[in-house]
Amino acid sequence: MNGKGISPIVERLLLPNHLMALEFREGFLFARVLRRRMLHYKPYSLINSAGSVINIAAASAQAEVWLRDPRNPKNDVLYLDATTDQGFPWLLHGAIGWKPHQVFVYPRIPEGADIPGKFPNIDPIKPSAGDFTGYYSGHESPYDEPTDFMEYVIRPLIHIGHELYNQDARAHNPVANILFALYHFQLFKPTLTGVGPHNRIIRDITLRHVPAAFLTVGFTSHPLDLGDTVIKDWDAVPIKLTEAEALEVG
Amino acid sequence: MPALTKEEIRERLQTVNVFITPAYTPFFAAVPERKIRFVVAITLFGDAVSTREVQIVKLEEDLTTYTPKYTKISLAPPEKLQLPIEGKDLENPIITLEGGTRLYGQLTAGVTVSATCEYWDNDV
């Protein structure tokens, strides 16, 4: 995968004290990872809301599902049910590897929303028809080595949905390797008028004076909104990159 | 994207059994245009009655040209014969079928012979 801009997700995950810029619809947040916890669910056998294994028939579609906890199907594995944890903002960052590779996976971020990864000038993607675009599969993100072909950055209080289509001539139960890092992080707060304690680090991240990961929460053409609840609980001040570049640093 | 892995090829392996008759007997419908189908083995089973002669032919995309691939395969009554004789290899197909082509078996004498074809496609 390397050399073509697609990397194993483990090469993209951050370590404690790494810096990041998080893009939301309202603007950018700047932060430092304080804690990282690796999480995986492997093997994860796709189930429905009743907890039954989903066996997708040959050349058939599976309507949108959450990745539910088979031990308690009410729970979405990729859901953060509180805006903060232990006093820190948190989010999930990772990827999912799938098998068999004949099953196409169409993510919806958040659930019910447009499918990301669409060419800008084509009609909406129909997972129910097994469209040959807008999907990823175990070929792009292998089960044993999930890649950033589909990189998930999930903020609290949103659900991620997946539709699937089995292109094979045999029925399959899709099996996933859900590989994520859970970050607890410190948000840097910009001071828009005058000099503030975090202005320099924010400006340095923006101007690439220090290494930092740029992560889009949601998907490129459609970053997710932070929402009033998260903004309030995180005490977040999203700003534009141009505003970040112009911050006074004294 | 990387080429298909061996595991992916194994996942794609399909097996189909047909009874070859004196008429052209298709192993499967025409290969979809977007695919190339790699046949890795054909196994023929004698009918336990008499020696039979089988041929394997490819119908080209023009739907009129039959290209013989294996002819005059003599099959003794108790025999199980696999092509290739040296043993199958998933990555070294014995017949390659482009989109729009078909593969047939034909029996030159007798009623039916059981045949199993193993193949995989280069795309899903």
Side-chain angles (χ1 to χ4, degrees):
Chain A
M1 293 289 175
N2 283 328
K4 293 191 175 178
I6 297 168
S7 310
I9 194 64
V10 292
E11 296 178 9
R12 299 269 300 159
L13 300 176
L14 304 180
L15 293 168
N17 212 30
H18 277 185
L19 302 174
M20 59 183 175
L22 299 167
E23 184 187 12
F24 292 88
R25 193 174 303 170
E26 296 92 338
F28 282 83
L29 299 181
F30 300 86
R32 171 172 64 146
V33 176
L34 297 178
R35 301 174 183 165
R36 182 188 83 161
R37 186 162 83 228
M38 290 304 301
L39 304 168
H40 74 163
Y41 211 133
K42 179 191 179 187
Y44 173 83
S45 188
L46 194 68
I47 58 168
N48 61 20
S49 59
S52 303
V53 166
I54 293 173
N55 196 31
I56 310 175
S60 297
Q62 168 60 46
E64 187 172 341
V65 289
W66 296 347
L67 303 183
R68 295 172 181 271
D69 182 355
R71 300 159 310 144
N72 181 359
K74 285 185 293 187
N75 291 339
D76 176 356
V77 172
L78 294 177
Y79 185 71
L80 297 175
D81 63 353
T83 53
T84 59
D85 182 57
Q86 300 164 40
F88 295 109
W90 60 343
L91 56 78
L92 285 165
H93 176 210
I96 306 172
W98 293 91
K99 67 177 181 182
H101 70 283
Q102 297 98 325
V103 175
F104 288 2
V105 181
Y106 304 83
R108 289 192 188 272
I109 306 173
E111 59 174 334
D114 288 348
I115 294 170
K118 184 173 91 61
F119 286 99
N121 195 37
I122 63 173
D123 283 354
I125 295 160
K126 293 181 191 161
S128 58
D131 278 355
F132 290 115
T133 184
Y135 70 90
Y136 74 105
S137 72
H139 189 57
E140 291 78 24
S141 188
Y143 175 79
D144 285 311
E145 191 172 65
T147 69
D148 62 354
F149 189 95
M150 183 62 221
E151 183 176 26
Y152 296 82
V153 182
I154 305 172
R155 72 153 171 81
L157 308 182
I158 64 159
H159 289 282
I160 304 296
H162 292 89
E163 289 185 67
L164 301 99
Y165 191 92
N166 178 10
Q167 294 284 358
D168 202 6
R170 294 169 281 213
H172 287 294
N173 167 232
V175 179
N177 173 10
I178 306 171
L179 181 61
F180 277 75
L182 178 68
Y183 303 138
H184 290 77
F185 54 90
Q186 173 198 10
L187 273 179
F188 298 134
K189 199 168 180 182
T191 302
L192 298 173
T193 306
V195 178
H198 292 154
N199 282 11
R200 182 177 296 279
I201 187 70
I202 291 172
R203 202 183 69 152
D204 284 351
I205 291 171
T206 308
L207 296 175
R208 301 188 62 185
H209 290 164
V210 292
F214 270 67
L215 301 174
T216 300
V217 182
F219 212 72
T220 49
S221 59
H222 203 68
L224 284 180
D225 60 350
L226 265 166
D228 294 340
T229 305
V230 177
I231 287 177
K232 176 172 168 290
D233 291 358
W234 286 7
D235 194 18
V237 182
I239 58 174
K240 296 176 182 173
L241 281 184
T242 48
E243 292 175 311
E245 289 167 3
L247 287 175
E248 284 186 50
V249 297
Chain B
M1 288 294 103
L4 287 179
T5 64
K6 287 186 178 180
E7 182 180 359
E8 288 173 332
I9 291 172
R10 285 195 292 270
E11 287 174 357
R12 290 188 186 188
L13 190 64
Q14 301 277 342
T15 306
V16 61
N17 177 251
V18 298
F19 285 90
I20 296 174
T21 72
Y24 282 125
T25 308
F27 283 98
F28 31 70
V31 178
E33 283 294 348
R34 64 189 165 80
K35 296 183 180 182
I36 294 177
R37 181 159 295 171
F38 301 110
V39 176
V40 293
I42 296 173
T43 309
L44 302 164
F45 301 89
D47 67 358
V49 175
S50 180
T51 297
R52 306 299 183 194
E53 195 173 282
V54 180
Q55 66 171 349
I56 306 294
V57 297
K58 173 183 176 183
L59 176 59
E60 303 293 347
E61 204 166 357
D62 60 9
L63 300 181
T64 57
T65 308
Y66 288 86
T67 306
K69 293 297 178 184
Y70 292 92
T71 58
K72 297 189 178 298
I73 306 168
S74 184
L75 197 60
E79 191 174 6
K80 184 191 85 170
L81 174 69
Q82 187 175 72
L83 304 171
I85 292 167
E86 57 270 25
K88 69 182 173 189
D89 178 351
L90 294 186
E91 295 184 74
N92 287 298
I94 56 172
I95 300 171
T96 299
L97 301 166
E98 310 80 46
T101 61
R102 300 163 193 250
L103 189 68
Y104 292 97
Q106 188 185 27
L107 193 58
T108 51
V111 183
T112 60
V113 160
S114 177
T116 296
C117 177
E118 296 171 71
Y119 66 91
W120 57 276
D121 294 336
N122 74 332
D123 210 338
V124 293

